[in-house]
Amino acid sequence: MAVQRVKSKLAKTKVLEQHCYIRDFIPLTRELSKVSLNEMLTQHSMVYIKPDIGSFGNGVMRIEQQPDGLYRLQLQSDIYSYSSFDRLYEGIRKLAGHKKYLVQRGIELLRYNDRRFDLRVMVQKNPKGKWETTGIIGRLAHPAKAVTNYHSGGTPLSFEQLTQAILTDEERQALTQRLKLIGAAAASGLQSAYPRLKELGLDIAIDTDKRPWLLEVNTLPDPWLFRKHDDPAVFRKIYHYAAAYGRFKHSRRSKRARQLRSSGHAHKTQKPSP
Ligand SMILES: Nc1ncnc2c1ncn2[C@@H]1O[C@H](COP(=O)(O)OP(=O)(O)OP(=O)(O)O)[C@@H](O)[C@H]1O
Ligand SMILES: [Mg+2]
């Protein structure tokens, strides 16, 4: 049976909010309306709004109320400024159209070379049928953007490199363990509602207090991003698990996977890493 995919971010968030361990890592998230945005902006000076169904960072906007009272909105590298809440909401409606959107408390991401970064955590069903966190990689935002997505000019970089100056080795190890737990717990939580899931890509923000936040869970995560991982065994394992649950069957990538196999690259990846 085909691997299950779930597009609605709100639907996935509702399920995850029921999970007693994961709930604490989810920033407050609501369906966007004039009322919910107003409430969120009185509680938090910065929020993100994003399409309920969307990807690649498209349509994601960062909104903050500045000390001078003006509202600042960033979409890709465009910056807009509004003198009142009503004007802000009108502006959003022009930019977002009538698409369903959600509003989420904004997390102030850590920075590397003055660029924001977050983490992609890959979680997969292993060939024994257990959820396993198989890879963690950092994503560094384009200097002029408020999203870290590769398709919006983000750069994959290792978690170690990004956090070298911020975390001690012990802190990084402890955070890695925590991310592994978050990965497995989010997977088992979502699986209760969506039983045919096999792979997830968690977008995790680390805030300036070094606390992890689960921004969203992708059900069609990009395994190829992990070719950029410093340790080639990580991509080999991800590829091997993905092939085992049929990720590449009938997919646009299957031609690519065949090419890799015939070039000998993917053949090596068939072996799980130790
Ligand atoms: N609440 C938030 N606080 C801080 N940054 C956020 C927040 N929500 C999103 N972002 C930034 O915007 C990026 C894109 O948001 P998100 O992953 O939710 O949507 P998407 O990328 O369009 O979806 P997909 O990952 O499926 O392609 C995140 O990776 C992160 O860098
Ligand atoms: Mg994302």
Side-chain angles (χ1 to χ4, degrees):
M1 244 193 287
V3 176
Q4 195 164 17
R5 314 291 179 191
V6 186
K7 288 186 176 163
S8 165
K9 292 185 203 292
L10 278 166
K12 288 178 276 189
T13 305
K14 279 197 184 121
V15 172
L16 289 169
E17 280 170 346
Q18 307 302 312
H19 193 285
C20 59
Y21 178 70
I22 291 298
R23 179 188 297 152
D24 291 347
F25 298 105
I26 303 179
L28 184 64
T29 308
R30 294 281 174 265
E31 184 170 344
L32 177 68
S33 68
K34 200 167 177 182
V35 173
S36 65
L37 180 65
N38 199 9
E39 276 175 14
M40 293 276 267
L41 277 171
T42 36
Q43 287 171 48
H44 307 286
S45 58
M46 193 266 287
V47 300
Y48 271 68
I49 65 169
K50 35 194 169 177
D52 183 41
I53 295 178
S55 52
F56 306 147
N58 291 336
V60 175
M61 302 179 216
R62 176 187 167 101
I63 298 167
E64 48 195 316
Q65 188 169 23
Q66 296 174 316
D68 58 9
L70 293 180
Y71 292 90
R72 177 186 187 276
L73 182 153
Q74 179 167 7
L75 169 63
Q76 292 294 340
S77 37
D78 296 329
I79 314 275
Y80 302 79
S81 184
Y82 302 96
S83 56
S84 69
F85 178 77
D86 284 348
R87 292 241 159 90
L88 166 71
Y89 198 74
E90 266 171 39
I92 290 172
R93 279 297 156 212
K94 278 194 194 126
L95 295 168
H98 290 285
K99 257 188 166 180
K100 185 167 171 179
Y101 258 68
L102 59 87
V103 50
Q104 186 173 64
R105 171 184 171 184
I107 306 300
E108 207 48 77
L109 301 189
L110 290 178
R111 285 170 184 264
Y112 175 85
N113 286 348
D114 212 27
R115 291 161 65 175
R116 299 185 176 96
F117 72 85
D118 62 9
L119 305 174
R120 168 54 63 92
V121 177
M122 186 80 172
V123 188
Q124 295 172 281
K125 272 267 174 86
N126 67 23
K128 290 188 177 143
K130 285 241 172 326
W131 285 108
E132 186 179 323
T133 300
T134 44
I136 301 175
I137 197 163
R139 302 181 311 173
L140 185 61
H142 180 280
K145 300 209 178 155
V147 299
T148 58
N149 307 63
Y150 184 67
H151 290 91
S152 295
T155 312
L157 266 189
S158 79
F159 178 34
E160 286 74 17
Q161 184 173 345
L162 290 171
T163 55
Q164 198 89 58
I166 303 164
L167 302 176
T168 63
D169 288 349
E170 290 75 43
E171 281 176 330
R172 192 174 312 104
Q173 270 165 23
L175 187 56
T176 304
Q177 284 314 315
R178 209 158 172 211
L179 295 177
K180 287 185 176 170
L181 286 176
I182 293 173
S188 73
L190 274 180
Q191 204 184 11
S192 58
Y194 308 110
R196 288 181 292 105
L197 292 173
K198 301 281 186 204
E199 56 182 5
L200 298 172
L202 276 56
D203 287 341
I204 304 237
I206 313 292
D207 70 14
T208 42
D209 293 325
K210 305 175 188 174
R211 186 188 198 289
W213 293 94
L214 181 53
L215 300 180
E216 74 142 343
V217 179
N218 298 275
T219 58
L220 184 58
D222 178 10
W224 310 97
L225 178 68
F226 287 86
R227 276 185 307 176
K228 300 272 174 11
H229 199 285
D230 285 350
D231 178 0
V234 169
F235 176 70
R236 282 207 291 273
K237 185 189 240 188
I238 288 174
Y239 185 93
H240 170 71
Y241 284 9
Y245 51 68
R247 156 93 193 213
F248 306 115
K249 261 190 237 156
H250 317 297
S251 79
R252 280 187 294 128
R253 292 284 194 180
S254 58
K255 192 169 157 218
R256 174 94 168 265
R258 275 200 305 276
Q259 281 167 351
L260 279 169
R261 259 200 306 276
S262 62
S263 71
H265 179 75
H267 185 69
K268 276 197 262 154
T269 70
Q270 297 298 312
K271 284 189 211 141
S273 61

